[in-house]
mmCIF file of all heavy atoms in Angstrom:
data_model
loop_
_atom_site.group_PDB
_atom_site.id
_atom_site.type_symbol
_atom_site.label_atom_id
_atom_site.label_comp_id
_atom_site.label_asym_id
_atom_site.label_seq_id
_atom_site.Cartn_x
_atom_site.Cartn_y
_atom_site.Cartn_z
ATOM 1 N N ILE A 42 -3.185 -114.452 -121.411
ATOM 2 C CA ILE A 42 -4.278 -114.563 -122.374
ATOM 3 C C ILE A 42 -4.124 -115.900 -123.078
ATOM 4 O O ILE A 42 -3.100 -116.173 -123.703
ATOM 5 C CB ILE A 42 -4.241 -113.408 -123.386
ATOM 6 C CG1 ILE A 42 -4.404 -112.068 -122.660
ATOM 7 C CG2 ILE A 42 -5.321 -113.581 -124.456
ATOM 8 C CD1 ILE A 42 -4.199 -110.866 -123.567
ATOM 9 N N PRO A 45 -6.612 -119.232 -128.283
ATOM 10 C CA PRO A 45 -7.836 -119.991 -128.552
ATOM 11 C C PRO A 45 -7.531 -121.393 -129.066
ATOM 12 O O PRO A 45 -6.620 -121.589 -129.883
ATOM 13 C CB PRO A 45 -8.536 -119.144 -129.619
ATOM 14 C CG PRO A 45 -8.025 -117.762 -129.389
ATOM 15 C CD PRO A 45 -6.596 -117.923 -128.950
ATOM 16 N N PRO A 71 -10.005 -115.886 -118.748
ATOM 17 C CA PRO A 71 -10.944 -116.816 -119.402
ATOM 18 C C PRO A 71 -10.621 -116.983 -120.884
ATOM 19 O O PRO A 71 -10.204 -116.033 -121.558
ATOM 20 C CB PRO A 71 -12.307 -116.135 -119.214
ATOM 21 C CG PRO A 71 -12.123 -115.228 -118.050
ATOM 22 C CD PRO A 71 -10.701 -114.761 -118.105
ATOM 23 N N GLN A 72 -10.807 -118.186 -121.382
ATOM 24 C CA GLN A 72 -10.534 -118.444 -122.793
ATOM 25 C C GLN A 72 -11.720 -118.012 -123.632
ATOM 26 O O GLN A 72 -12.859 -118.405 -123.386
ATOM 27 C CB GLN A 72 -10.258 -119.930 -123.036
ATOM 28 C CG GLN A 72 -9.939 -120.254 -124.493
ATOM 29 C CD GLN A 72 -9.278 -121.611 -124.644
ATOM 30 O OE1 GLN A 72 -8.411 -121.985 -123.864
ATOM 31 N NE2 GLN A 72 -9.695 -122.364 -125.646
ATOM 32 N N LEU A 73 -11.440 -117.191 -124.641
ATOM 33 C CA LEU A 73 -12.459 -116.715 -125.569
ATOM 34 C C LEU A 73 -12.088 -117.175 -126.971
ATOM 35 O O LEU A 73 -10.916 -117.341 -127.299
ATOM 36 C CB LEU A 73 -12.547 -115.183 -125.518
ATOM 37 C CG LEU A 73 -12.816 -114.570 -124.134
ATOM 38 C CD1 LEU A 73 -12.748 -113.055 -124.210
ATOM 39 C CD2 LEU A 73 -14.179 -115.018 -123.613
ATOM 40 N N ASN A 74 -13.081 -117.360 -127.823
ATOM 41 C CA ASN A 74 -12.848 -117.845 -129.189
ATOM 42 C C ASN A 74 -13.417 -116.864 -130.202
ATOM 43 O O ASN A 74 -14.571 -116.965 -130.604
ATOM 44 C CB ASN A 74 -13.473 -119.226 -129.388
ATOM 45 C CG ASN A 74 -12.804 -120.278 -128.523
ATOM 46 O OD1 ASN A 74 -11.604 -120.258 -128.333
ATOM 47 N ND2 ASN A 74 -13.595 -121.187 -127.978
ATOM 48 N N PRO A 75 -12.606 -115.880 -130.623
ATOM 49 C CA PRO A 75 -13.085 -114.923 -131.624
ATOM 50 C C PRO A 75 -13.260 -115.580 -132.985
ATOM 51 O O PRO A 75 -12.860 -116.719 -133.204
ATOM 52 C CB PRO A 75 -11.965 -113.876 -131.661
ATOM 53 C CG PRO A 75 -10.753 -114.605 -131.187
ATOM 54 C CD PRO A 75 -11.240 -115.617 -130.194
ATOM 55 N N PHE A 84 -6.761 -112.291 -136.350
ATOM 56 C CA PHE A 84 -7.392 -113.219 -135.411
ATOM 57 C C PHE A 84 -6.750 -113.107 -134.027
ATOM 58 O O PHE A 84 -7.437 -113.012 -133.004
ATOM 59 C CB PHE A 84 -7.260 -114.638 -135.951
ATOM 60 C CG PHE A 84 -7.663 -115.717 -134.977
ATOM 61 C CD1 PHE A 84 -8.997 -115.931 -134.670
ATOM 62 C CD2 PHE A 84 -6.700 -116.504 -134.373
ATOM 63 C CE1 PHE A 84 -9.365 -116.931 -133.775
ATOM 64 C CE2 PHE A 84 -7.053 -117.504 -133.482
ATOM 65 C CZ PHE A 84 -8.397 -117.712 -133.181
ATOM 66 N N LEU A 85 -5.426 -113.102 -133.990
ATOM 67 C CA LEU A 85 -4.721 -112.995 -132.717
ATOM 68 C C LEU A 85 -4.945 -111.627 -132.081
ATOM 69 O O LEU A 85 -5.095 -111.503 -130.863
ATOM 70 C CB LEU A 85 -3.237 -113.260 -132.917
ATOM 71 C CG LEU A 85 -2.877 -114.694 -133.294
ATOM 72 C CD1 LEU A 85 -1.400 -114.795 -133.672
ATOM 73 C CD2 LEU A 85 -3.190 -115.649 -132.153
ATOM 74 N N ASN A 86 -4.945 -110.588 -132.908
ATOM 75 C CA ASN A 86 -5.186 -109.245 -132.385
ATOM 76 C C ASN A 86 -6.584 -109.130 -131.780
ATOM 77 O O ASN A 86 -6.780 -108.535 -130.715
ATOM 78 C CB ASN A 86 -5.018 -108.215 -133.514
ATOM 79 C CG ASN A 86 -4.946 -106.800 -132.994
ATOM 80 O OD1 ASN A 86 -4.036 -106.446 -132.251
ATOM 81 N ND2 ASN A 86 -5.918 -105.979 -133.370
ATOM 82 N N GLN A 87 -7.553 -109.733 -132.452
ATOM 83 C CA GLN A 87 -8.924 -109.731 -131.940
ATOM 84 C C GLN A 87 -9.018 -110.506 -130.631
ATOM 85 O O GLN A 87 -9.752 -110.131 -129.715
ATOM 86 C CB GLN A 87 -9.855 -110.339 -132.988
ATOM 87 C CG GLN A 87 -11.337 -110.309 -132.606
ATOM 88 C CD GLN A 87 -12.204 -111.006 -133.633
ATOM 89 O OE1 GLN A 87 -11.725 -111.460 -134.665
ATOM 90 N NE2 GLN A 87 -13.496 -111.120 -133.347
ATOM 91 N N SER A 88 -8.239 -111.580 -130.540
ATOM 92 C CA SER A 88 -8.233 -112.372 -129.314
ATOM 93 C C SER A 88 -7.741 -111.542 -128.136
ATOM 94 O O SER A 88 -8.294 -111.605 -127.034
ATOM 95 C CB SER A 88 -7.352 -113.606 -129.504
ATOM 96 O OG SER A 88 -7.301 -114.387 -128.336
ATOM 97 N N VAL A 89 -6.684 -110.761 -128.360
ATOM 98 C CA VAL A 89 -6.168 -109.892 -127.299
ATOM 99 C C VAL A 89 -7.200 -108.837 -126.919
ATOM 100 O O VAL A 89 -7.482 -108.607 -125.740
ATOM 101 C CB VAL A 89 -4.849 -109.230 -127.744
ATOM 102 C CG1 VAL A 89 -4.417 -108.168 -126.731
ATOM 103 C CG2 VAL A 89 -3.755 -110.272 -127.920
ATOM 104 N N GLU A 90 -7.766 -108.188 -127.918
ATOM 105 C CA GLU A 90 -8.751 -107.128 -127.671
ATOM 106 C C GLU A 90 -9.941 -107.634 -126.866
ATOM 107 O O GLU A 90 -10.476 -106.930 -125.999
ATOM 108 C CB GLU A 90 -9.245 -106.556 -129.005
ATOM 109 C CG GLU A 90 -8.221 -105.731 -129.762
ATOM 110 C CD GLU A 90 -8.164 -104.295 -129.251
ATOM 111 O OE1 GLU A 90 -8.997 -103.933 -128.419
ATOM 112 O OE2 GLU A 90 -7.263 -103.557 -129.688
ATOM 113 N N SER A 91 -10.345 -108.860 -127.120
ATOM 114 C CA SER A 91 -11.528 -109.394 -126.449
ATOM 115 C C SER A 91 -11.312 -109.608 -124.952
ATOM 116 O O SER A 91 -12.268 -109.814 -124.204
ATOM 117 C CB SER A 91 -11.962 -110.704 -127.108
ATOM 118 O OG SER A 91 -10.972 -111.714 -126.932
ATOM 119 N N HIS A 92 -10.057 -109.564 -124.501
ATOM 120 C CA HIS A 92 -9.747 -109.773 -123.082
ATOM 121 C C HIS A 92 -9.568 -108.460 -122.320
ATOM 122 O O HIS A 92 -9.174 -108.473 -121.151
ATOM 123 C CB HIS A 92 -8.474 -110.610 -122.934
ATOM 124 C CG HIS A 92 -8.674 -112.063 -123.203
ATOM 125 N ND1 HIS A 92 -8.645 -112.588 -124.466
ATOM 126 C CD2 HIS A 92 -8.919 -113.108 -122.370
ATOM 127 C CE1 HIS A 92 -8.853 -113.901 -124.411
ATOM 128 N NE2 HIS A 92 -9.017 -114.230 -123.154
ATOM 129 N N LYS A 93 -9.853 -107.353 -122.957
ATOM 130 C CA LYS A 93 -9.587 -106.063 -122.321
ATOM 131 C C LYS A 93 -10.362 -105.901 -121.014
ATOM 132 O O LYS A 93 -9.817 -105.447 -119.997
ATOM 133 C CB LYS A 93 -9.937 -104.931 -123.289
ATOM 134 C CG LYS A 93 -9.177 -103.649 -123.054
ATOM 135 C CD LYS A 93 -9.348 -102.715 -124.242
ATOM 136 C CE LYS A 93 -8.508 -101.473 -124.076
ATOM 137 N NZ LYS A 93 -8.606 -100.583 -125.262
ATOM 138 N N ALA A 94 -11.630 -106.296 -121.018
ATOM 139 C CA ALA A 94 -12.443 -106.172 -119.793
ATOM 140 C C ALA A 94 -11.907 -107.086 -118.694
ATOM 141 O O ALA A 94 -11.908 -106.712 -117.503
ATOM 142 C CB ALA A 94 -13.900 -106.512 -120.107
ATOM 143 N N ASP A 95 -11.446 -108.285 -119.058
ATOM 144 C CA ASP A 95 -10.884 -109.198 -118.059
ATOM 145 C C ASP A 95 -9.613 -108.626 -117.440
ATOM 146 O O ASP A 95 -9.387 -108.738 -116.225
ATOM 147 C CB ASP A 95 -10.585 -110.556 -118.700
ATOM 148 C CG ASP A 95 -11.836 -111.250 -119.200
ATOM 149 O OD1 ASP A 95 -12.857 -111.200 -118.500
ATOM 150 O OD2 ASP A 95 -11.790 -111.836 -120.297
ATOM 151 N N VAL A 96 -8.763 -108.022 -118.278
ATOM 152 C CA VAL A 96 -7.537 -107.399 -117.775
ATOM 153 C C VAL A 96 -7.879 -106.240 -116.843
ATOM 154 O O VAL A 96 -7.288 -106.085 -115.768
ATOM 155 C CB VAL A 96 -6.661 -106.910 -118.946
ATOM 156 C CG1 VAL A 96 -5.525 -106.027 -118.444
ATOM 157 C CG2 VAL A 96 -6.103 -108.092 -119.729
ATOM 158 N N SER A 122 -3.006 -102.551 -126.839
ATOM 159 C CA SER A 122 -4.324 -102.001 -126.483
ATOM 160 C C SER A 122 -4.497 -101.951 -124.966
ATOM 161 O O SER A 122 -5.296 -101.167 -124.450
ATOM 162 C CB SER A 122 -5.433 -102.842 -127.112
ATOM 163 O OG SER A 122 -5.393 -104.177 -126.636
ATOM 164 N N MET A 123 -3.730 -102.764 -124.230
ATOM 165 C CA MET A 123 -3.817 -102.785 -122.771
ATOM 166 C C MET A 123 -3.171 -101.553 -122.138
ATOM 167 O O MET A 123 -3.329 -101.311 -120.938
ATOM 168 C CB MET A 123 -3.169 -104.051 -122.222
ATOM 169 C CG MET A 123 -3.780 -105.338 -122.749
ATOM 170 S SD MET A 123 -5.570 -105.436 -122.474
ATOM 171 C CE MET A 123 -5.987 -106.930 -123.400
#
Side-chain angles (χ1 to χ4, degrees):
I42 299 173
Q72 181 163 318
L73 304 175
N74 295 322
F84 170 73
L85 292 172
N86 193 63
Q87 184 184 356
S88 179
V89 172
E90 290 277 353
S91 65
H92 284 84
K93 206 167 185 177
D95 296 319
V96 169
S122 61
M123 302 305 173

